[in-house]
């Protein structure tokens, strides 16, 4: 009997404590917001038309000149814009934001798996997934900033298109939810103090 009792106590001590409703809700909200950010960023990157200035549209993939009746004449040769280094600069920008989306997708996958499959490594998966989301924030923000820097002389607040603001929103969500995910992980690392042990 003592051996069975000790074994039973050991099994109970190895079980993962059940998550409270608030924690489940917070983690689910983080996952939902990251998924929304990925959708916004994907739309923004695929469209790529980020800036309208002087009847010209500057994008990650195309450069367009608005002709009569508002018909755009687009080309993938960014040297037509006659801006030194623009071709190389936008290659860097679109590479950074594209890898940002990829990092966010893998981060989201780890976050979901950590909640669906409860095992001893769930917390590590959650932490690593949150770190990938923060990496996505860094890559996406770098791509956006480099785009603005290369086109600084053309930039105006009203010239940014809706897809650019979609990317801006996605970057903000990546940062907010990546930080929140790591904060929740740090809280779960704190020792649990039972009233009987105080």
């Amino acid at each position: 009997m003592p051996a069975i009792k000790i074994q039973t106590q050991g099994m109970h001590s190895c079980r993962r404590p059940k998550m409270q409703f608030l924690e489940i809700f917070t983690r689910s909200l983080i996952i939902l917001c990251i998924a929304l950010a990925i959708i916004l960023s994907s739309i923004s990157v695929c469209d790529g038309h980020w800036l309208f200035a002087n009847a010209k549209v500057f994008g990650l993939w195309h450069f367009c000149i608005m002709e009569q009746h508002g018909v755009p004449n687009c080309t993938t040769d960014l040297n037509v814009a006659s801006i030194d280094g623009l071709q190389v600069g936008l290659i860097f920008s679109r590479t950074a934001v594209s890898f940002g989306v990829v990092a966010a997708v893998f981060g989201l996958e780890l976050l979901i798996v950590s909640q669906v499959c409860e095992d001893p490594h769930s917390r590590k998966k959650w932490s690593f997934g949150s770190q990938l989301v923060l990496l996505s924030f860094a890559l996406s923000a770098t791509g956006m900033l480099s785009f603005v820097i290369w086109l600084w002389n053309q930039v105006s607040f009203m010239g940014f298109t809706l897809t650019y603001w979609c990317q801006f929103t996605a970057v903000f969500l990546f940062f907010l939810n990546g930080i929140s995910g790591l904060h929740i992980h740090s809280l779960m690392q704190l020792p649990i103090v039972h009233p009987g042990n105080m």
Side-chain angles (χ1 to χ4, degrees), residues 25 34-35 53 70 76 82 91 100 105 128 134-135 159 163 174 194-195 197:
F25 176 76
I34 293 174
T76 56
S82 301
I91 288 175
V105 170
F128 189 54
L134 282 180
L135 175 62
T163 51
F174 286 146
H194 297 283
N197 296 333

Side-chain angles (χ1 to χ4, degrees), residues 44-118:
S44 179
V45 173
C46 290
D47 179 81
H49 298 101
W50 281 7
L51 180 66
F52 180 80
N54 301 322
K56 299 174 183 178
V57 179
F58 298 90
L60 295 175
W61 313 93
H62 301 91
F63 169 73
C64 302
I65 299 176
M66 305 301 292
E67 297 180 345
Q68 294 181 352
H69 308 293
V71 178
N73 182 16
C74 299
T75 178
T76 56
D77 185 8
L78 300 178
N79 292 320
V80 177
S82 301
I83 299 177
D84 294 337
L86 183 63
Q87 179 83 24
V88 177
L90 292 189
I91 288 175
F92 173 79
S93 296
R94 62 176 177 248
T95 300
V97 293
S98 297
F99 276 109
V101 175
V102 173
V105 170
F106 281 108
L108 178 63
E109 181 180 0
L110 283 173
L111 294 179
I112 294 175
V113 169
S114 70
Q115 300 307 294
V116 175
C117 303
E118 294 189 1

Side-chain angles (χ1 to χ4, degrees), residues 23-43:
E23 182 185 353
I24 296 174
F25 176 76
T26 304
R27 289 176 183 263
S28 301
L29 191 60
I30 288 174
I31 291 174
L32 180 62
C33 289
I34 293 174
L36 176 62
I38 291 174
I39 293 173
L40 290 174
S41 185
S42 299
I43 293 173

